[in-house]
């Protein structure tokens, strides 16, 4: 029976403790024997849950980092409620700053590796541009940098009135955003995918992997109304980051200030943040030590596919270890 | 999956274990698979396929999920408005009678009803206190009776006075903004409904074009397996949707659908809030009031954070100065 195959599916493998809580946001630290001096702080996208990086043991990126001896910390952007409606990009970058303060004090270091994924990588770009001296290495997975791409989600983001949506919904619900993601590729994501499941219903491993992903896909937090307005209007519609005119707290974000080692990982079949969004950043940063890895997977396959874990992640970990002593 | 009864039982257990949307998509796809298998059987037996035999139903199954989020939002507003309409009936319908010029008799009837309501409420209060206090403390019971008799008289006088005041002129207990918001909500709903038809039509045309291309291919050549059959069909449909979903016509329809629905929700919320906040006896804080409070709190919090940052910076400088002084 199908239910027998899925009853033990529970995402999240590595153990962590919560070091700090700040109303909505939390800072977690994963438990391991630390062998490298430079801690890693992960900033994931605020539109999904970060445990995609630790979905299950066999495809956990965090497990690989911990087993290599890295000290891994992670920001949890939480589940916003109406009380968080006016949280904006500045509040998120302030929390990254607060987290780094806590980490450097705890570890007795001056710099960390900042690792961002998707919109979390965009936040990492913003932070690293404003505070380059605090960052030893910058690792960016599918960062949204240019909002002028031709994928359906970007085209839609450029065409909606974000203020109307946030005025009506206050916080933009996880369900609404999920619907947008599904509708951007409805046949593949709502039909072909489930027809494949029905064809493979006897394959226990396939079914389990499928529902691990389902749990994550449909566990979407609401996005604070202000944050939604800001990132849709300023990152997509006005393309402020790529144009070099984005400001936070009155300070201009200039990627020309990013000179530390940079690793950018993109996925050629990514229909959420296509490579055309990220590559302009890679080309613009003046870092002498920079590398671009291109995977042949999609936005999430980059993280959880078996081929990524055999080809991409060992290369990423090796790059990071060389720069973390 | 097994026979019907076992299947239903399994689905019920599955519903508890998997996300709700996964469950819904799985159910829809079970139906889609049954339809596709039927079409494949027809194809593999050498019979020609045609759009009218099965493909139209498939469109509704395909797109049911696409329209669902909009349906949920619109339905949510409807549910709230039907709840509120009951409240409005209860509190305001007697007064709405005053809008009718020929309602003199109705006014008197209303006045009598209001007085009788006050009286029956007092009767209830009296009975309840009798039950609570009468047996245990007969002296208190008789005092309570005396109090209630006096109170009943005063309430009756108050109700009569209140009705005399309202009868002296027309009374519209709802604020003007209620009527404005209601008109705007209706206008937005009509705009949304029209745009939704355009939205649906754009998707349907893309679907039909791809389905017809598939039917032509299927009728000209033979697919060797069910898997090959559905992959070919779904690939053609996926490509058709890739094209239509970023087309100017679709984008315009989608924009109007989303904006129409958002405006509708906003005006409906405004009119519900207007009804509540116009009544000084209302004990409920509205979403707008809370929203403004949270805006101020968030703003204050940012200012506090900046001040804390500056304090920390000053403390660091002070410590550095003291260290330097200590060393010298």
């Amino acid at each position: 029976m199908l239910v027998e195959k899925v009853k033990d599916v529970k995402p999240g493998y590595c153990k962590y403790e919560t070091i700090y809580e700040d109303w909505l946001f939390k800072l977690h630290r994963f438990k391991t024997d630390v062998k490298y001096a430079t801690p890693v702080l992960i900033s994931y996208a605020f539109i999904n849950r970060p445990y995609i990086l630790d979905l299950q043991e066999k495809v956990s990126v965090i497990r690989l980092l911990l087993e290599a001896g890295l000290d891994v910390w992670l920001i949890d952007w939480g589940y916003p409620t109406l009380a968080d409606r006016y949280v904006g990009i500045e509040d998120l970058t302030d929390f990254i700053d607060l987290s780094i303060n806590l980490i450097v004090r705890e570890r007795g270091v001056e710099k960390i590796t900042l690792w961002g994924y998707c919109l979390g990588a965009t936040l990492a770009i913003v932070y690293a541009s404003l505070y380059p001296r605090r960052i030893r290495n910058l690792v960016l997975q599918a960062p949204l940098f240019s909002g002028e791409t031709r994928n359906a989600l970007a085209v839609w983001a450029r065409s909606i009135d974000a203020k109307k949506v946030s005025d009506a919904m206050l916080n933009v619900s996880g369900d609404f955003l999920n619907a947008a993601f599904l509708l951007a590729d409805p046949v593949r994501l709502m039909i072909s995918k489930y027809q494949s499941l029905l064809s493979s219903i006897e394959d226990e491993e396939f079914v389990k992997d499928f529902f691990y992903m389902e749990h994550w896909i449909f566990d979407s937090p609401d996005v604070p109304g202000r944050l939604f307005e800001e990132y849709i209007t300023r990152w997509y519609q006005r393309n402020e980051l790529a144009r070099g005119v984005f400001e936070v707290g009155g300070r201009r974000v200039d990627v020309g200030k990013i000179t530390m080692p940079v690793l950018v990982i993109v996925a050629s079949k990514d229909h959420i943040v296509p490579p055309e969004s990220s590559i302009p950043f890679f080309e613009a940063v003046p870092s002498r030590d920079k590398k671009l890895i291109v995977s042949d997977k999609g936005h999430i396959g980059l993280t959880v596919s078996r081929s990524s874990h055999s080809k991409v992640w060992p290369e990423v970990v090796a790059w990071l270890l060389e720069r973390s002593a | 999956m097994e026979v019907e009864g076992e299947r239903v039982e399994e689905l019920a257990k599955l519903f508890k274990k998997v996300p709700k949307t996964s469950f819904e998509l799985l159910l829809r796809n079970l139906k889609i698979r049954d339809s596709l298998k039927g079409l494949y059987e027809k194809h593999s037996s050498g019979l020609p396929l045609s759009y009218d035999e099965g493909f139209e139903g498939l469109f509704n199954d395909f797109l049911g999920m696409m329209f669902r989020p909009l349906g949920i939002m619109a339905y949510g507003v409807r549910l709230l408005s039907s709840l509120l309409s009951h409240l409005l009936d209860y509190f305001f319908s007697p007064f709405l009678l005053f809008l009718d010029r020929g309602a003199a008799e109705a006014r008197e009837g209303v006045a009598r009803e209001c007085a009788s309501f006050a009286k029956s409420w007092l009767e209830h209060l009296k009975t309840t206190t009798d039950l609570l206090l009468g047996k245990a403390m007969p002296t208190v019971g008789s005092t309570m009776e005396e109090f209630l008799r006096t109170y009943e008289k005063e309430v009756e006088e108050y109700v009569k006075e209140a009705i005399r005041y309202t009868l002296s002129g027309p009374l519209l207990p709802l604020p003007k903004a209620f009527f404005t918001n209601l008109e705007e909500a209706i206008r937005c709903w009509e705009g949304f409904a029209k745009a939704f038809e355009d939205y649906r039509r754009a998707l349907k045309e893309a679907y039909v074009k791809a389905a017809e291309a598939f039917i032509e291919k299927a009728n000209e050549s033979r697919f060797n397996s069910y898997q090959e059959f559905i992959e070919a069909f779904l690939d053609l449909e996926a490509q058709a949707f890739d094209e239509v979903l970023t087309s100017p016509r679709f984008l315009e329809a989608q924009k109007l659908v989303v904006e129409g629905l958002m405006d509708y929700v906003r005006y409906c919320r405004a009119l519900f809030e207007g009804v509540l906040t116009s009544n000084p006896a209302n004990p409920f804080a509205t979403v707008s009031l809370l929203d403004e409070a949270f805006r101020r709190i968030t703003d204050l919090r940012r200012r506090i954070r900046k001040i804390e940052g500056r304090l920390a910076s000053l403390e660091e400088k002070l410590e550095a100065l003291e260290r330097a002084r200590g060393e010298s």
Side-chain angles (χ1 to χ4, degrees):
Chain A
M1 283 173 71
L2 181 60
V3 69
E4 288 301 314
K5 296 182 180 92
V6 305
K7 65 181 181 163
D8 296 325
V9 167
K10 201 177 165 220
Y13 173 72
C14 301
K15 301 276 178 271
Y16 62 85
E17 60 176 318
T18 303
I19 302 300
Y20 183 79
E21 286 188 58
D22 187 16
W23 290 11
L24 175 61
F25 308 143
K26 291 180 190 172
L27 176 64
H28 301 313
R29 185 182 188 182
F30 286 90
K31 297 181 180 180
T32 193
D33 292 325
V34 176
K35 295 175 191 140
Y36 287 85
T38 306
V40 180
L41 173 64
I42 298 176
S43 158
Y44 187 68
F46 43 82
I47 56 173
N48 285 111
R49 299 295 296 147
Y51 59 77
I52 189 64
L53 288 160
D54 184 37
L55 191 63
Q56 50 171 324
E57 184 186 354
K58 60 186 176 182
V59 292
S60 169
V61 171
I62 291 180
R63 178 182 62 81
L64 295 176
L65 299 175
L66 296 175
E67 284 175 359
L70 288 162
D71 180 15
V72 181
W73 303 63
L74 178 138
I75 294 174
D76 182 343
W77 300 117
Y79 289 95
T81 67
L82 182 59
D84 308 301
R85 151 104 161 95
Y86 290 95
V87 163
I89 291 173
E90 190 179 345
D91 301 297
L92 272 61
T93 52
D94 281 353
F95 191 76
I96 293 176
D97 193 50
L98 184 150
S99 300
I100 293 175
N101 285 342
L102 289 168
I103 296 169
V104 300
R105 204 176 305 147
E106 171 68 22
R107 288 295 315 276
V109 298
E110 287 184 7
K111 301 185 182 203
I112 63 148
T113 292
L114 185 55
W115 179 312
Y117 189 174
C118 185
L119 292 171
T122 316
L123 290 171
I125 289 173
V126 169
Y127 187 85
S129 303
L130 295 173
Y131 304 99
R133 276 185 249 174
R134 313 207 74 191
I135 309 299
R136 184 165 178 195
N137 307 297
L138 188 61
V139 177
L140 304 170
Q141 236 179 292
L144 170 77
F145 182 66
S146 167
E148 276 184 357
T149 51
R150 288 163 300 172
N151 52 307
L153 281 171
V155 171
W156 291 2
R158 292 196 296 273
S159 75
I160 63 162
D161 186 334
K163 188 168 189 319
K164 275 202 187 219
V165 174
S166 77
D167 281 350
M169 299 186 75
L170 303 176
N171 286 345
V172 181
S173 71
D175 281 346
F176 183 86
L177 290 170
N178 271 340
F181 278 102
L182 292 176
L183 296 179
D185 194 1
V187 177
R188 294 182 190 97
L189 296 178
M190 293 200 281
I191 301 163
S192 301
K193 192 178 112 175
Y194 292 86
Q195 293 299 317
S196 296
L197 171 67
L198 292 172
S199 301
S200 310
I201 207 86
E202 300 303 328
D203 182 341
E204 183 163 342
E205 199 177 354
F206 181 95
V207 170
K208 271 197 152 105
D209 290 347
F210 185 95
F211 281 102
Y212 266 107
M213 278 302 302
E214 291 290 278
H215 276 285
W216 175 80
I217 288 167
F218 297 115
D219 181 15
S220 296
D222 294 352
V223 176
R226 174 174 283 175
L227 184 56
F228 179 81
E229 267 184 68
E230 283 185 349
Y231 93 88
I232 293 291
T233 309
R234 303 178 70 189
W235 289 352
Y236 280 101
Q237 294 174 358
R238 296 193 214 138
N239 201 20
E240 289 181 9
L241 262 174
R243 287 172 46 228
V245 298
F246 183 68
E247 288 186 5
V248 175
R251 294 178 61 191
R252 176 76 62 91
V253 171
D254 176 10
V255 302
K257 300 252 170 66
I258 294 178
T259 54
M260 76 286 296
V262 172
L263 175 62
V264 176
I265 312 148
V266 300
S268 61
K269 293 176 189 157
D270 191 335
H271 75 284
I272 297 172
V273 183
E276 307 85 87
S277 178
S278 311
I279 289 172
F281 166 78
F282 182 78
E283 288 168 351
V285 286
S287 309
R288 285 194 209 136
D289 179 4
K290 62 180 181 178
K291 182 172 180 164
L292 176 70
I293 295 177
V294 182
S295 150
D296 62 355
K297 295 292 169 190
H299 191 71
I300 299 303
L302 168 61
T303 304
V304 299
S305 69
R306 304 243 176 104
S307 63
S308 290
H309 278 261
S310 63
K311 290 182 216 161
V312 174
W313 294 114
E315 193 181 343
V316 171
V317 173
W319 183 92
L320 194 49
L321 292 181
E322 279 170 24
R323 293 156 180 83
S324 296
Chain B
M1 289 183 162
E2 301 82 3
V3 296
E4 195 58 34
E6 289 172 353
R7 183 160 146 162
V8 169
E9 198 187 318
E10 186 181 354
L11 286 172
K13 285 183 188 169
L14 191 67
F15 180 70
K16 292 179 192 172
K17 290 289 173 192
V18 303
K20 189 181 69 153
T21 311
S22 302
F23 182 78
E24 197 167 339
L25 283 167
L26 188 57
L27 283 186
R28 284 186 183 270
N29 274 277
L30 281 169
K31 191 164 178 252
I32 288 170
R33 186 179 66 163
D34 288 344
S35 302
L36 286 171
K37 280 202 161 162
L39 288 168
Y40 176 68
E41 272 165 27
K42 193 176 174 199
H43 165 76
S44 62
S45 65
L47 293 167
L49 298 176
S50 68
Y51 181 83
D52 297 328
E53 294 173 67
F55 287 91
E56 178 69 14
L58 266 176
F59 171 73
N60 294 325
D61 292 332
F62 268 36
L63 276 310
M65 281 305 290
M66 288 187 81
F67 305 140
R68 189 176 158 279
L70 301 172
I72 285 177
M73 257 185 120
Y75 178 72
V77 172
R78 236 184 181 180
L79 190 64
L80 201 56
S81 69
S82 75
L83 284 171
L84 190 71
S85 76
H86 287 306
L87 279 173
L88 284 173
D89 276 342
Y90 184 71
F91 285 111
F92 294 114
S93 62
F95 295 98
L96 290 174
L97 288 174
F98 289 115
L99 298 175
D100 180 355
R101 285 194 196 109
E105 279 181 2
R107 287 183 203 180
E108 281 179 27
V110 165
R112 274 198 297 277
E113 286 301 311
C114 285
S116 133
F117 167 73
K119 220 172 165 178
S120 66
W121 178 73
L122 283 165
E123 287 283 348
H124 168 76
L125 183 65
K126 192 178 160 198
T127 311
T128 314
T129 45
D130 275 350
L131 286 168
L132 286 173
L133 300 172
K135 283 180 185 173
M137 300 172 75
T139 51
V140 172
S142 61
T143 309
M144 183 57 76
E145 269 181 36
E146 191 56 40
F147 165 74
L148 285 172
R149 262 199 299 275
T150 316
Y151 190 64
E152 185 179 345
K153 252 176 130 177
E154 284 192 27
V155 167
E156 259 194 59
E157 283 307 309
Y158 167 76
V159 169
K160 278 183 197 163
E161 194 56 40
I163 290 167
R164 253 199 299 275
Y165 173 75
T166 57
L167 282 173
S168 66
L171 177 72
L172 290 167
L174 300 169
K176 176 70 183 288
F178 173 87
F179 300 98
T180 314
N181 287 325
L182 184 61
E183 262 177 73
E184 288 297 315
I186 291 168
R187 182 185 62 76
C188 291
W189 178 262
E190 284 171 351
F192 160 74
K194 185 187 171 305
F196 187 73
E197 277 308 307
D198 294 337
Y199 175 86
R200 192 177 187 279
R201 201 174 305 123
L203 294 172
K204 178 94 182 270
E205 284 170 11
Y207 170 84
V208 170
K209 194 172 163 191
E212 286 176 348
F214 171 75
I215 290 165
E216 194 181 322
K217 188 172 176 180
N219 290 343
E220 279 169 7
S221 56
R222 179 61 52 84
F223 291 105
N224 295 318
S225 68
Y226 168 69
Q227 200 55 38
E228 209 182 299
F229 180 83
I230 65 162
E231 273 175 20
F233 175 58
L234 294 177
D235 277 346
L236 278 168
E237 288 294 349
Q239 283 164 38
F241 277 98
D242 286 344
E243 214 178 291
V244 77
L245 291 174
T246 51
S247 67
R249 177 192 171 196
F250 176 82
L251 290 175
E252 182 60 22
Q254 181 172 252
K255 184 177 158 68
L256 291 173
V257 161
V258 172
E259 289 180 10
L261 188 59
M262 293 301 152
D263 282 342
Y264 171 65
V265 166
R266 201 165 46 84
Y267 282 116
C268 283
R269 187 168 63 235
L271 80 91
F272 298 151
E273 288 189 348
V275 169
L276 287 172
T277 54
S278 69
N279 188 338
N282 163 52
F284 305 112
T286 63
V287 163
S288 295
L289 285 172
L290 289 171
D291 191 49
E292 177 59 23
F294 290 132
R295 190 188 65 75
R296 295 180 195 187
I297 289 168
T298 310
D299 191 43
L300 280 169
R301 193 150 182 264
R302 275 198 201 108
R303 288 195 222 171
I304 289 170
R305 228 172 30 220
K306 283 189 165 60
I307 293 169
E308 283 174 341
R310 283 161 63 189
L311 272 172
S313 171
L314 285 169
E315 278 170 357
E316 266 176 49
K317 286 180 183 161
L318 194 57
E319 276 170 25
L321 273 171
E322 281 172 2
R323 269 198 305 273
R325 201 183 296 161
E327 282 162 12
S328 64

